[in-house]
Amino acid sequence: MDVLTQRSDMTGADRGWAANYQPGDVLHYSRGSKEHEIERGSYTTIIAIDAKENRVTVERHDGTEVAYDPKRLQGITAYREIARDFAEGDRIQFTATNRDLGVSNRDLGAIERIDGSQLSVRMDGEKQRTVTFDSSQMRHFDHGYAVTSHSSQGLTSERVLVNMDTTVHPELINTRFAYVSVSRASVDAHIYTNDAARLSERLSADVTKTSAVNLEQPRSQTQTQESAERKETVMTNNREQSQEDQRRQFQTESNVSQPEKQTEQIDHRHYAPIQTALRDEAVGYDWKRETGDIESYQHKEHHGWLHIDPAGSFYDRQGLPIARETALENAGHVSQALDNAQSRPVSNPNDQGFSL
C-alpha cells in the first residue's frame, strides 16, 4: 500500500517556491482555491515544476491538470508517497487526525482484517472499537511498532525498548525524554545506546527552564499575563510544566556553575523557533511553554498565540500543521510592513493556546 509521509524538511516559506517541490509530491489543501477549482480538503499530485517561472503543475483527482504560482495558494501541506507492506495483525499508527473515523494523530491500533484496499483496525484504548477505511483514500497511517517519546505520552505497555543515541542533537536527549520513555513500561524496560558511559551525562541535561525575559518582568505585567493565561485551555501534556514549577526545578536541580549563562542558552532555545519564523517581527511575543518540539508564544498586548517548531513551521492548538498566514491571522499578528497601512486585526477568540 502507498501511504503518505509529510515532508518535514519544508518550512512555510519553502512551500512558496516551486524549486523546493518534486514531481510525485502529494499536496493537501486545507483552504482550497476557487480560481483553480481546487476543493478544500482535496489532494493533488505534482507532475511538473518550472523553477524559473516559479510555477507548479498538479493533477487533480479527476485527472485534469492545473498550473499555478505556489506563492499565491496558502494552507498547503506537502507529502511523499512511500510503499509499505501490511498484514493482518500488524501494529499501525495514524499520522493525521480524521474526524470521520474518530481517530487522532498518533493513535495506535492493530489490523484485524484486510479486504482489498479496505482495512479494519482495532484501536487501542480502554473502550474496544474497530474502524474501517479505504487505504486508497485515507493514506495517513504507517507501521506502529516504534513511536517517538513525544507520541508515547499517555501510553502504557508491559515491555518497552528505548533507543538512546548519544550522537543526536544534545537537546533531544535529556531528563524529560528519559522519564517519559522509561515510564511507559509497566513490567520491563530495556535501554539500547551506542555509548553507555556518555549516556549518563547526556541524560542529566535539563531543558525545563523558565525564560529570563519572564523573570525580569514587573509584577503588574506578570499579573496581567497570568490573568490572560487563565483563559487558556489547560494542556493535558505530561511534558508541560508551569513557569513556577520550572523556576523551582531550575533553582533546586541545576548543577551548572554559571546559572546566568545556562539560562541565556535555554532562553535562546525557546525563542529560536519564533526568531526563525518571524525574524524582526517576533517583538512582543513571550515564550510560554514547550510541548514536544513545539514552542508556544503569547503576545503581550492582544494575547494572540503562536505555536512553532524549530524549523519555523506553524501549528494550530491541536498540534496540526497550518499555513503561516493562517497562524498569523488567528494570532492577530500584523506584519511590520503592513502595520502603517491597515489597522491591527482582533485576535481569534477561539484560539486559547496550544492543547492536545
Side-chain angles (χ1 to χ4, degrees):
M1 298 178 180
D2 291 329
V3 300
L4 297 179
T5 178
Q6 186 173 345
R7 286 196 57 184
S8 57
D9 59 313
M10 294 182 66
T11 65
D14 291 337
R15 289 192 284 270
W17 297 97
N20 294 321
Y21 294 95
Q22 298 178 5
D25 283 354
V26 177
L27 306 183
H28 176 254
Y29 301 84
S30 60
R31 299 173 63 176
S33 171
K34 292 183 179 180
E35 177 184 356
H36 301 294
E37 298 182 352
I38 298 176
E39 297 180 359
R40 177 180 180 180
S42 63
Y43 295 82
T44 65
T45 302
I46 293 183
I47 57 177
I49 59 173
D50 186 343
K52 184 177 181 180
E53 298 295 330
N54 197 43
R55 295 181 67 81
V56 297
T57 303
V58 299
E59 182 179 14
R60 293 180 287 225
H61 67 280
D62 59 359
T64 58
E65 300 177 4
V66 61
Y68 63 85
D69 184 342
K71 282 188 177 181
R72 299 179 60 86
L73 265 67
Q74 307 300 327
I76 296 177
T77 306
Y79 297 91
R80 285 195 177 122
E81 285 186 337
I82 295 183
R84 289 282 192 262
D85 293 330
F86 295 97
E88 294 179 358
D90 275 358
R91 298 278 299 165
I92 69 169
Q93 181 182 59
F94 290 93
T95 56
T97 298
N98 188 301
R99 292 182 175 85
D100 294 334
L101 295 178
V103 298
S104 301
N105 186 25
R106 304 307 174 186
D107 277 356
L108 294 165
I111 298 177
E112 285 188 325
R113 180 177 175 81
I114 300 178
D115 186 7
S117 62
Q118 295 288 322
L119 266 68
S120 296
V121 179
R122 184 180 70 258
M123 303 300 298
D124 289 358
E126 296 180 357
K127 296 181 179 179
Q128 294 292 329
R129 66 187 184 96
T130 300
V131 298
T132 301
F133 60 92
D134 187 341
S135 61
S136 64
Q137 302 296 323
M138 211 300 285
R139 297 188 289 169
H140 296 282
F141 64 97
D142 207 338
H143 289 294
Y145 291 99
V147 298
T148 64
S149 173
H150 179 65
S151 298
S152 70
Q153 293 181 83
L155 302 179
T156 300
S157 180
E158 288 188 359
R159 291 171 175 81
V160 171
L161 309 179
V162 187
N163 175 43
M164 296 187 180
D165 187 352
T166 63
T167 63
V168 301
H169 193 282
E171 294 180 1
L172 297 178
I173 302 294
N174 50 61
T175 54
R176 288 191 298 174
F177 162 72
Y179 172 77
V180 173
S181 301
V182 176
S183 62
R184 300 309 93 196
S186 61
V187 176
D188 184 54
H190 281 209
I191 296 176
Y192 294 83
T193 182
N194 61 306
D195 190 339
R198 190 183 178 196
L199 180 62
S200 176
E201 176 186 351
R202 293 292 303 277
L203 291 180
S204 299
D206 183 19
V207 295
T208 53
K209 302 293 188 298
T210 193
S211 168
V213 175
N214 290 329
L215 286 174
E216 295 178 356
Q217 289 176 346
R219 180 174 178 80
S220 59
Q221 184 177 355
T222 303
Q223 291 176 339
T224 301
Q225 287 188 337
E226 290 176 351
S227 176
E229 289 172 13
R230 280 196 289 269
K231 299 178 182 179
E232 181 191 12
T233 303
V234 177
M235 193 190 313
T236 57
N237 191 324
N238 294 337
R239 296 181 68 174
E240 180 195 10
Q241 287 184 308
S242 68
Q243 293 181 13
E244 184 61 31
D245 290 339
Q246 294 180 52
R247 188 181 296 111
R248 283 197 297 266
Q249 184 169 354
F250 173 77
Q251 293 171 345
T252 58
E253 295 183 5
S254 177
N255 57 0
V256 181
S257 59
Q258 298 177 343
E260 292 85 358
K261 182 177 181 180
Q262 182 168 353
T263 301
E264 291 176 359
Q265 292 174 346
I266 297 302
D267 183 42
H268 173 73
R269 180 178 64 80
H270 286 322
Y271 280 91
I274 194 170
Q275 294 291 346
T276 299
L278 299 182
R279 298 183 182 275
D280 296 334
E281 298 182 26
V283 178
Y285 287 93
D286 286 337
W287 175 83
K288 292 301 178 183
R289 60 177 56 88
E290 179 182 45
T291 310
D293 295 330
I294 301 175
E295 306 287 351
S296 296
Y297 311 88
Q298 187 180 32
H299 200 277
K300 298 177 183 178
E301 297 179 1
H302 54 73
H303 308 302
W305 286 83
L306 290 175
H307 315 291
I308 311 173
D309 68 11
S313 299
F314 292 83
Y315 295 80
D316 62 16
R317 60 191 299 266
Q318 280 77 38
L320 300 179
I322 58 176
R324 168 194 171 96
E325 291 74 14
T326 303
L328 297 182
E329 179 181 353
N330 291 341
H333 178 88
V334 175
S335 173
Q336 293 181 357
L338 302 177
D339 198 22
N340 296 327
Q342 61 185 32
S343 61
R344 183 180 300 276
V346 178
S347 60
N348 186 349
N350 295 322
D351 184 7
Q352 299 178 330
F354 190 86
S355 177
L356 292 179

